[in-house]
Amino acid sequence: MNLYGIELTSRLLLGSARYPSPAMLADAVRASGTEVVTVSLRRESGGQRSGQGFWSLIRDLGVRVLPNTAGCHSAKEAVTTARMARDIFQTPWIKLEVIGDADTLQPDVFDLVEAAAELCADGFEVFPYTTDDLVVADRLLQAGCRVLMPWGAPIGSGRGLNNRFGLRTLRAHFPDVPLIIDAGIGRPSHAVEAMELGFDGVLLNTAVALAGDPVAMAAAFARAIEAGRAGFEAQPMAPRDLAEPSTPITGKAWLA
């Protein structure tokens, strides 16, 4: 998987929030085989450099850090947070979140496009958390984004893929754009389904962090994503309305 010119062997991106302990987070990251870990930035980190122990733990794992603008509710707020993240983490990568609804955590797609255009013009490599809307996707690409991250379901809901038709359509319309399912994945089977639809990767957090055994769950997701991608590349058979015998009739013995 190639993201902004960076070739990655793992198609799993992992969040770093809500783990029982830093040690559990580190073990889960290792078990997942991920090469990209997302981290959220709080405003106080910019001035006081707080949380450096946490950032050091992430860097010591040898993964690429993908800062995000979690908790931002306007384009201005997201852009400011992104610039602070670039100063702290010394990376042009940013996962752009602009939340529009407090209950569903659905993106505000209007401010999202506005913020994406400003950040891309400022040299950022933007990973926008968006919906499965084709028009919004096209506007984000026009703004300069080269990766899209549509949601599967509301953040933390664990519902899987709520709109399979919309996601399949998005994949068909943008065959050459890296598409990563972000949010709503709850089980390894959900990740398999996303990969079988032809998506390039999956970003998840809660499904691993809140599992009874986060390390085992991280490993399970790693295997699920590999299996789903392999299944997609093998070109699975098309579904049929009627049965079709797997045993040929030719050569069958007939009783008189």
Side-chain angles (χ1 to χ4, degrees):
M1 177 171 63
N2 190 292
L3 303 177
Y4 286 106
I6 302 298
E7 195 68 34
L8 302 172
T9 58
S10 172
R11 296 178 181 274
L12 172 59
L13 291 74
L14 199 61
S16 58
R18 307 185 69 182
Y19 286 82
S21 69
M24 188 71 76
L25 165 61
D27 288 344
V29 169
R30 294 188 188 98
S32 73
T34 185
E35 296 162 88
V36 178
V37 172
T38 66
V39 296
S40 62
L41 178 73
R42 302 305 180 196
R43 282 183 176 79
E44 59 267 27
S45 297
Q48 300 175 8
R49 290 294 193 270
S50 61
Q52 289 305 299
F54 174 78
W55 312 141
S56 296
L57 180 150
I58 297 297
R59 285 191 290 266
D60 289 346
L61 290 169
V63 295
R64 181 173 290 271
V65 174
L66 175 59
N68 68 42
T69 61
C72 292
H73 294 266
S74 69
K76 181 178 180 180
E77 188 179 18
V79 168
T80 299
T81 302
R83 288 174 174 154
M84 290 170 59
R86 181 169 61 181
D87 290 343
I88 291 173
F89 298 111
Q90 296 298 298
T91 176
W93 279 20
I94 191 72
K95 180 189 172 189
L96 181 61
E97 295 184 25
V98 185
I99 302 302
D101 181 78
D103 292 326
T104 63
L105 300 181
Q106 179 169 325
D108 180 333
V109 296
F110 303 101
D111 275 28
L112 178 67
V113 172
E114 178 185 339
E118 185 171 349
L119 290 172
C120 288
D122 194 24
F124 281 88
E125 295 173 340
V126 179
F127 295 68
Y129 161 62
T130 183
T131 64
D132 49 41
D133 187 282
L134 290 176
V135 176
V136 174
D138 188 56
R139 294 293 187 273
L140 288 167
L141 294 173
Q142 290 179 30
C145 298
R146 289 162 51 195
V147 175
L148 298 175
M149 303 180 71
W151 67 346
I155 293 173
S157 68
R159 296 181 59 85
L161 307 183
N162 273 354
N163 186 4
R164 293 165 181 80
F165 173 79
L167 292 171
R168 188 180 295 111
T169 303
L170 192 68
R171 177 73 285 175
H173 273 68
F174 304 105
D176 300 322
V177 177
L179 299 179
I180 299 171
I181 292 292
D182 178 15
I185 297 297
R187 299 175 182 273
S189 58
H190 298 158
V192 171
E193 187 175 10
M195 300 306 294
E196 287 181 340
L197 287 177
F199 280 77
D200 296 280
V202 172
L203 192 160
L204 54 89
N205 186 165
T206 310
V208 170
L210 298 189
D213 186 339
V215 178
M217 187 61 76
F221 269 108
R223 293 193 294 271
I225 288 171
E226 288 182 2
R229 182 65 184 185
F232 168 73
E233 292 177 343
Q235 301 177 13
M237 63 174 286
R240 295 172 52 89
D241 292 330
L242 299 176
E244 180 177 354
S246 57
T247 302
I249 297 177
T250 303
K252 179 180 177 181
W254 293 92
L255 298 176

mmCIF file of all heavy atoms in Angstrom, residues 7 26 30 73 80 83 86 90 92 124 141 172 176-177 183 204 229 236 253:
data_model
loop_
_atom_site.group_PDB
_atom_site.id
_atom_site.type_symbol
_atom_site.label_atom_id
_atom_site.label_comp_id
_atom_site.label_asym_id
_atom_site.label_seq_id
_atom_site.Cartn_x
_atom_site.Cartn_y
_atom_site.Cartn_z
ATOM 1 N N GLU A 7 5.733 3.493 0.886
ATOM 2 C CA GLU A 7 5.281 2.125 0.668
ATOM 3 C C GLU A 7 5.192 1.393 2.010
ATOM 4 O O GLU A 7 6.157 1.346 2.769
ATOM 5 C CB GLU A 7 6.258 1.391 -0.257
ATOM 6 C CG GLU A 7 5.708 0.106 -0.831
ATOM 7 C CD GLU A 7 4.572 0.328 -1.807
ATOM 8 O OE1 GLU A 7 4.578 1.343 -2.539
ATOM 9 O OE2 GLU A 7 3.643 -0.522 -1.830
ATOM 10 N N ALA A 26 1.725 -0.867 23.502
ATOM 11 C CA ALA A 26 2.943 -1.259 22.803
ATOM 12 C C ALA A 26 2.861 -2.701 22.320
ATOM 13 O O ALA A 26 3.232 -3.014 21.181
ATOM 14 C CB ALA A 26 4.152 -1.071 23.717
ATOM 15 N N ARG A 30 2.781 -4.066 18.332
ATOM 16 C CA ARG A 30 3.711 -5.082 17.824
ATOM 17 C C ARG A 30 2.954 -6.277 17.248
ATOM 18 O O ARG A 30 3.300 -6.805 16.188
ATOM 19 C CB ARG A 30 4.642 -5.534 18.942
ATOM 20 C CG ARG A 30 5.590 -4.448 19.443
ATOM 21 C CD ARG A 30 6.615 -5.014 20.416
ATOM 22 N NE ARG A 30 7.406 -3.973 21.041
ATOM 23 C CZ ARG A 30 7.176 -3.468 22.251
ATOM 24 N NH1 ARG A 30 6.164 -3.944 22.975
ATOM 25 N NH2 ARG A 30 7.938 -2.510 22.749
ATOM 26 N N HIS A 73 -14.123 20.921 15.721
ATOM 27 C CA HIS A 73 -15.483 21.103 15.211
ATOM 28 C C HIS A 73 -15.597 22.223 14.191
ATOM 29 O O HIS A 73 -16.709 22.617 13.833
ATOM 30 C CB HIS A 73 -16.443 21.370 16.378
ATOM 31 C CG HIS A 73 -16.604 20.194 17.298
ATOM 32 N ND1 HIS A 73 -17.615 19.258 17.170
ATOM 33 C CD2 HIS A 73 -15.851 19.777 18.347
ATOM 34 C CE1 HIS A 73 -17.493 18.338 18.108
ATOM 35 N NE2 HIS A 73 -16.425 18.626 18.835
ATOM 36 N N THR A 80 -5.536 24.862 12.799
ATOM 37 C CA THR A 80 -4.623 25.269 13.871
ATOM 38 C C THR A 80 -4.006 24.052 14.551
ATOM 39 O O THR A 80 -2.795 24.002 14.804
ATOM 40 C CB THR A 80 -5.379 26.107 14.914
ATOM 41 O OG1 THR A 80 -5.902 27.286 14.282
ATOM 42 C CG2 THR A 80 -4.459 26.519 16.052
ATOM 43 N N ARG A 83 -1.361 22.335 12.342
ATOM 44 C CA ARG A 83 -0.073 23.045 12.300
ATOM 45 C C ARG A 83 0.720 22.823 13.585
ATOM 46 O O ARG A 83 1.946 22.706 13.552
ATOM 47 C CB ARG A 83 -0.317 24.527 12.037
ATOM 48 C CG ARG A 83 -0.753 24.785 10.592
ATOM 49 C CD ARG A 83 -1.149 26.209 10.319
ATOM 50 N NE ARG A 83 -1.411 26.397 8.888
ATOM 51 C CZ ARG A 83 -2.217 27.332 8.391
ATOM 52 N NH1 ARG A 83 -2.861 28.165 9.214
ATOM 53 N NH2 ARG A 83 -2.399 27.436 7.092
ATOM 54 N N ARG A 86 2.244 19.358 13.280
ATOM 55 C CA ARG A 86 3.413 19.325 12.399
ATOM 56 C C ARG A 86 4.657 19.827 13.128
ATOM 57 O O ARG A 86 5.749 19.269 12.959
ATOM 58 C CB ARG A 86 3.159 20.165 11.143
ATOM 59 C CG ARG A 86 4.317 20.158 10.160
ATOM 60 C CD ARG A 86 3.939 20.772 8.826
ATOM 61 N NE ARG A 86 3.529 22.165 8.944
ATOM 62 C CZ ARG A 86 3.126 22.920 7.908
ATOM 63 N NH1 ARG A 86 3.076 22.381 6.692
ATOM 64 N NH2 ARG A 86 2.764 24.161 8.087
ATOM 65 N N GLN A 90 6.974 16.753 13.557
ATOM 66 C CA GLN A 90 7.860 16.912 12.404
ATOM 67 C C GLN A 90 7.462 15.985 11.249
ATOM 68 O O GLN A 90 8.271 15.264 10.683
ATOM 69 C CB GLN A 90 9.312 16.659 12.812
ATOM 70 C CG GLN A 90 9.868 17.649 13.826
ATOM 71 C CD GLN A 90 9.896 19.073 13.282
ATOM 72 O OE1 GLN A 90 10.570 19.361 12.296
ATOM 73 N NE2 GLN A 90 9.171 19.976 13.937
ATOM 74 N N PRO A 92 4.561 15.905 7.737
ATOM 75 C CA PRO A 92 3.493 16.578 6.987
ATOM 76 C C PRO A 92 2.190 15.796 6.990
ATOM 77 O O PRO A 92 1.163 16.300 6.541
ATOM 78 C CB PRO A 92 4.077 16.670 5.568
ATOM 79 C CG PRO A 92 4.952 15.461 5.464
ATOM 80 C CD PRO A 92 5.545 15.274 6.838
ATOM 81 N N PHE A 124 0.717 20.081 3.656
ATOM 82 C CA PHE A 124 0.346 18.885 4.410
ATOM 83 C C PHE A 124 -0.041 17.748 3.460
ATOM 84 O O PHE A 124 -0.487 17.990 2.333
ATOM 85 C CB PHE A 124 -0.839 19.177 5.331
ATOM 86 C CG PHE A 124 -0.484 19.900 6.590
ATOM 87 C CD1 PHE A 124 -0.444 21.290 6.626
ATOM 88 C CD2 PHE A 124 -0.198 19.197 7.758
ATOM 89 C CE1 PHE A 124 -0.126 21.955 7.799
ATOM 90 C CE2 PHE A 124 0.118 19.863 8.928
ATOM 91 C CZ PHE A 124 0.162 21.243 8.951
ATOM 92 N N LEU A 141 -10.543 15.381 -3.262
ATOM 93 C CA LEU A 141 -9.473 15.121 -4.218
ATOM 94 C C LEU A 141 -9.091 16.401 -4.957
ATOM 95 O O LEU A 141 -7.903 16.666 -5.193
ATOM 96 C CB LEU A 141 -9.902 14.034 -5.205
ATOM 97 C CG LEU A 141 -10.117 12.645 -4.594
ATOM 98 C CD1 LEU A 141 -10.692 11.691 -5.629
ATOM 99 C CD2 LEU A 141 -8.818 12.094 -4.014
ATOM 100 N N ALA A 172 -15.570 1.921 -6.824
ATOM 101 C CA ALA A 172 -15.673 1.842 -8.278
ATOM 102 C C ALA A 172 -15.380 3.187 -8.947
ATOM 103 O O ALA A 172 -14.775 3.234 -10.023
ATOM 104 C CB ALA A 172 -17.059 1.342 -8.677
ATOM 105 N N ASP A 176 -8.163 4.301 -8.508
ATOM 106 C CA ASP A 176 -6.724 4.523 -8.326
ATOM 107 C C ASP A 176 -6.382 5.323 -7.070
ATOM 108 O O ASP A 176 -5.214 5.641 -6.835
ATOM 109 C CB ASP A 176 -6.155 5.247 -9.554
ATOM 110 C CG ASP A 176 -6.346 4.436 -10.825
ATOM 111 O OD1 ASP A 176 -6.203 3.192 -10.764
ATOM 112 O OD2 ASP A 176 -6.660 5.039 -11.877
ATOM 113 N N VAL A 177 -7.387 5.656 -6.281
ATOM 114 C CA VAL A 177 -7.165 6.438 -5.064
ATOM 115 C C VAL A 177 -7.098 5.496 -3.865
ATOM 116 O O VAL A 177 -7.999 4.668 -3.690
ATOM 117 C CB VAL A 177 -8.296 7.465 -4.850
ATOM 118 C CG1 VAL A 177 -8.100 8.217 -3.533
ATOM 119 C CG2 VAL A 177 -8.360 8.441 -6.018
ATOM 120 N N ALA A 183 -13.225 4.047 11.086
ATOM 121 C CA ALA A 183 -14.313 4.168 12.066
ATOM 122 C C ALA A 183 -15.402 3.130 11.855
ATOM 123 O O ALA A 183 -15.794 2.825 10.731
ATOM 124 C CB ALA A 183 -14.938 5.560 12.060
ATOM 125 N N LEU A 204 -8.389 1.400 12.679
ATOM 126 C CA LEU A 204 -9.289 1.134 13.798
ATOM 127 C C LEU A 204 -8.575 1.379 15.121
ATOM 128 O O LEU A 204 -7.349 1.418 15.187
ATOM 129 C CB LEU A 204 -9.829 -0.299 13.724
ATOM 130 C CG LEU A 204 -8.820 -1.438 13.618
ATOM 131 C CD1 LEU A 204 -8.380 -1.923 14.974
ATOM 132 C CD2 LEU A 204 -9.406 -2.581 12.805
ATOM 133 N N ARG A 229 -7.754 -9.129 1.869
ATOM 134 C CA ARG A 229 -7.055 -8.622 0.681
ATOM 135 C C ARG A 229 -6.733 -9.755 -0.285
ATOM 136 O O ARG A 229 -6.897 -9.623 -1.499
ATOM 137 C CB ARG A 229 -5.769 -7.900 1.097
ATOM 138 C CG ARG A 229 -4.997 -7.293 -0.073
ATOM 139 C CD ARG A 229 -5.783 -6.179 -0.733
ATOM 140 N NE ARG A 229 -5.097 -5.666 -1.898
ATOM 141 C CZ ARG A 229 -5.513 -4.616 -2.615
ATOM 142 N NH1 ARG A 229 -6.617 -3.979 -2.252
ATOM 143 N NH2 ARG A 229 -4.851 -4.211 -3.676
ATOM 144 N N PRO A 236 -13.129 -13.288 -6.201
ATOM 145 C CA PRO A 236 -14.150 -14.246 -5.749
ATOM 146 C C PRO A 236 -15.296 -14.391 -6.742
ATOM 147 O O PRO A 236 -15.566 -13.491 -7.545
ATOM 148 C CB PRO A 236 -14.629 -13.645 -4.426
ATOM 149 C CG PRO A 236 -14.215 -12.214 -4.471
ATOM 150 C CD PRO A 236 -13.012 -12.130 -5.317
ATOM 151 N N ALA A 253 -23.447 -42.014 -13.681
ATOM 152 C CA ALA A 253 -24.087 -43.318 -13.952
ATOM 153 C C ALA A 253 -25.590 -43.201 -13.824
ATOM 154 O O ALA A 253 -26.096 -42.581 -12.894
ATOM 155 C CB ALA A 253 -23.552 -44.366 -12.962
#
